[in-house]
Amino acid sequence: MKMKQDAYYDVVSLTSMGLRMSPNDGKLLHMANSFSIQVTSAESNVLTPLASLGLMVKVLTKFIKDNPMSHRIKQALRQRGILYDDNDIVQDSPWGLRHQINFVEPGVGRKPPVVFNDRANEVAKTLRIDDIDMADLFNHKGVKILHISGLFLALSEQTAKVTLSLVKQAKASGTKISFDINYRPSFWLDRKKQLQPIFQEMVGYSDILFASVFDCETILDQRIHKDARSDQTYFKALFKSLMKACPNLSYIITKERIIEDANHHAFGAYAWRDNQMYHIEPLPITVVDRVGGGDAFTGGILYGLLSDMPVHKHLSFAWAMSVLAMSVDTDYVMPLTEQDIWDIWHNNPHMKR
């Protein structure tokens, strides 16, 4: 996959930034008296490890002028090495806009994790295409990969409009398009008729697609009748069907997860590129907090593509990046070196001194 060689930005992404609130001391959400706070979004979770490993990344989003939470979010983005524009909107009333809040209760054993999203009146919904200097972004500086998450695409009619306009401009400039469908039932409630054609149009512009089996069946109408869905024959048929329906795609990736309990999973992955399938057999992992694991996996794939790793190697890298993310209680990870990731893949548990 040939990238723009003279681009300033490695990866740029649209996002709606917010805060994650997790109960302290492992308490249930409704019983907690204190919470830890971290700045989060699916897209910034993808970009953070890339920035940590030296790539140039940027989010396109909206903030609230003189708002303490916006200030905290900008501070966190700077700490993580993620660039942004001071795209502020004036908040003249306490009844106006705000940043999303995600309440997260990590799972333990037989008790599953719980995520409660509070996303009313998100400021990023006000983002307009005129807020983005596309000439500077795509023509003057240049972007190798524009990464889009279905979470932002599904926020509102306005975010869908901005996304598709940006994608068309990026595509025309030679930027590669990465799309993670990232289906969430709460986002799609009573909206399938409205959202499905938008998502299908987005896939039509994409070069790189991250999609679960459920995404492929529900959103892309790809139903391969096979009893054993984990069987390689099923995935090969699914990928071939997707490539026939969407010939623009160069690369398709899906994760495979078998859950024993909240803290013990078997985790693997499938990929399809150049008419060949690649597979990581599900391997046992210990999970502290699975939130953000998928985003880290996506980041690992994009890093591998930008680093010219062969497919089998960057699929392994992405797997290990995801495992790292699921081993900590933050939505994002900041590896110091590639070796930090490869130690996980090679199962090297010995203490470093």
Side-chain angles (χ1 to χ4, degrees):
M1 189 180 299
K2 192 174 181 180
M3 305 285 177
K4 294 184 71 170
Q5 296 302 306
D6 56 348
Y8 179 76
Y9 296 112
D10 291 296
V11 186
V12 170
S13 189
L14 287 160
T15 192
S16 178
M17 297 299 304
L19 303 175
R20 165 180 161 158
M21 310 279 286
S22 298
N24 289 326
D25 304 320
K27 292 184 178 178
L28 302 177
L29 282 172
H30 65 282
M31 297 175 64
N33 295 313
S34 63
F35 292 79
S36 61
I37 302 174
Q38 62 180 263
V39 170
T40 189
S41 78
E43 301 81 10
S44 64
N45 293 343
V46 171
L47 298 183
T48 297
L50 305 187
S52 185
L53 292 173
L55 299 190
M56 189 68 71
V57 300
K58 183 177 185 177
V59 289
L60 306 174
T61 191
K62 206 77 175 275
F63 303 98
I64 304 167
K65 186 174 177 59
D66 300 327
N67 179 280
M69 292 303 99
S70 286
H71 179 79
R72 178 165 185 160
I73 289 167
K74 289 180 180 181
Q75 185 181 50
L77 291 173
R78 291 193 297 270
Q79 289 173 339
R80 297 175 199 174
I82 300 175
L83 300 175
Y84 62 88
D85 293 324
D86 280 313
N87 210 342
D88 294 354
I89 189 169
V90 175
Q91 179 78 288
D92 57 2
S93 163
W95 306 105
L97 301 162
R98 63 181 178 84
H99 292 278
Q100 61 160 305
I101 302 174
N102 299 318
F103 294 91
V104 179
E105 183 184 285
V108 178
R110 294 172 67 92
K111 180 203 161 300
V114 176
V115 178
F116 182 82
N117 294 310
D118 183 0
R119 308 198 62 158
N121 300 322
E122 290 182 68
V123 64
K125 289 182 180 180
T126 69
L127 188 69
R128 300 289 188 270
I129 202 66
D130 292 342
D131 293 324
I132 303 168
D133 188 342
M134 290 202 290
D136 180 69
L137 188 65
F138 295 118
N139 300 330
H140 179 221
K141 290 191 171 71
V143 179
K144 293 180 182 177
I145 297 176
L146 176 65
H147 176 67
I148 302 296
S149 166
L151 297 178
F152 187 84
L153 189 62
L155 274 182
S156 68
E157 290 184 19
Q158 177 58 32
T159 59
K161 182 179 178 181
V162 168
T163 301
L164 291 173
S165 296
L166 191 71
V167 164
K168 291 173 186 176
Q169 181 70 25
K171 195 80 174 173
S173 74
T175 295
K176 299 299 181 184
I177 308 299
S178 165
F179 181 39
D180 186 348
I181 291 180
N182 232 335
Y183 172 86
R184 294 289 186 275
S186 58
F187 277 46
W188 282 68
L189 195 62
D190 300 323
R191 300 175 68 207
K192 183 175 179 180
K193 189 177 289 188
Q194 171 200 356
L195 288 173
Q196 190 175 29
I198 295 171
F199 272 63
Q200 290 177 349
E201 182 180 356
M202 180 64 219
V203 172
Y205 290 114
S206 302
D207 301 286
I208 308 155
L209 180 67
F210 298 87
S212 68
V213 169
F214 188 79
D215 294 336
C216 294
E217 291 181 344
T218 307
I219 298 168
L220 303 180
D221 293 326
Q222 296 294 314
R223 293 176 176 84
I224 307 299
H225 299 290
K226 187 78 175 176
D227 291 334
R229 289 190 173 182
S230 61
D231 186 78
Q232 294 195 34
T233 305
Y234 168 82
F235 282 98
K236 183 175 285 190
L238 175 63
F239 291 146
K240 284 185 174 181
S241 179
L242 266 174
M243 293 299 293
K244 185 176 180 180
C246 310
N248 53 286
L249 290 172
S250 298
Y251 195 13
I252 308 169
I253 310 100
T254 189
K255 301 183 294 297
E256 185 179 19
R257 188 187 298 268
I258 302 167
I259 300 175
E260 178 184 338
D261 62 37
N263 306 113
H264 299 92
H265 299 184
F267 182 50
Y270 282 93
W272 183 266
R273 185 156 173 209
D274 297 330
N275 206 35
Q276 183 176 346
M277 190 167 76
Y278 300 83
H279 182 214
I280 294 177
E281 290 281 353
L283 300 170
I285 63 170
T286 301
V287 176
V288 173
D289 180 357
R290 66 173 287 179
V291 177
D295 301 327
F297 179 87
T298 299
I301 292 289
L302 298 184
Y303 181 85
L305 283 169
L306 290 162
S307 302
D308 290 325
M309 294 182 190
V311 178
H312 72 276
K313 187 173 181 180
H314 73 238
L315 192 62
S316 303
F317 189 84
W319 182 93
M321 183 84 82
S322 182
V323 171
L324 177 60
M326 290 185 282
S327 71
V328 296
D329 62 357
T330 55
D331 288 4
Y332 60 92
V333 287
M334 301 177 68
L336 292 175
T337 67
E338 285 187 20
Q339 190 60 45
D340 293 340
I341 308 303
W342 289 121
D343 282 344
I344 295 171
W345 172 251
H346 294 300
N347 193 23
N348 180 11
H350 299 289
M351 184 182 294
K352 292 182 178 181
R353 294 185 183 276

